Amino acid sequence: MTSLQTILSEATFETYFVQVVIKMKSDFNFTEIYNQIRGIKDVIVVKVVDTEKLDAASTDNYKYNLLEIKFISEGNALNTIKMIKHEALKIPGLVKFYVRTKTLLKIRNY
């Protein structure tokens, strides 16, 4: 019989970093949207990065922002980020969740 310690020691978690551009409706609370993204399974850290380019693209109806997200993945990181995107798009006020896949970076293993 396999012990719990053996099972836990065989599980490998990897931490990843990725940048995401989001589009939000201007009449929603942005902080609430960020906090709900932070609450998605496997998301560890969400950092909002202000960029002049995205501020210039924002309109009266929509605001764009760049997020730097750290997340954990047990297997395929792309599948994990797809799941995160799927869950994020359920958040009221969030219109688009564009993952910049070229920025995907493995940080460390556990």
Side-chain angles (χ1 to χ4, degrees):
M1 184 169 182
T2 306
S3 71
L4 179 60
Q5 185 175 2
T6 305
I7 293 171
L8 291 176
S9 66
E10 290 176 358
T12 59
F13 296 96
E14 298 167 332
T15 306
Y16 290 89
F17 166 90
V18 73
Q19 290 183 335
V20 175
V21 176
I22 60 170
K23 179 180 179 181
M24 304 171 287
K25 292 182 181 176
S26 295
D27 54 342
F28 280 78
N29 183 335
F30 305 138
T31 304
E32 181 63 28
I33 292 172
Y34 304 143
N35 287 338
Q36 288 188 38
I37 293 171
R38 286 181 180 102
I40 295 174
K41 180 182 180 290
D42 297 331
V43 173
I44 302 170
V45 177
V46 176
K47 179 181 175 188
V48 181
V49 180
D50 291 324
T51 63
E52 291 179 18
K53 196 173 192 179
L54 290 176
D55 285 341
S58 298
T59 64
D60 290 339
N61 296 327
Y62 297 103
K63 176 159 175 57
Y64 292 89
N65 254 333
L66 177 66
L67 303 180
E68 292 181 345
I69 297 177
K70 290 181 184 176
F71 65 97
I72 57 172
S73 178
E74 256 187 279
N76 187 330
L78 289 176
N79 288 342
T80 303
I81 198 68
K82 285 178 186 176
M83 183 277 305
I84 292 170
K85 177 179 181 175
H86 177 75
E87 292 300 313
L89 289 174
K90 294 178 183 178
I91 297 171
L94 186 62
V95 178
K96 290 202 184 236
F97 191 92
Y98 174 73
V99 179
R100 299 172 77 188
T101 54
K102 291 185 179 183
T103 65
L104 184 63
L105 177 67
K106 185 172 164 181
I107 299 173
R108 71 188 289 191
N109 292 344
Y110 290 101

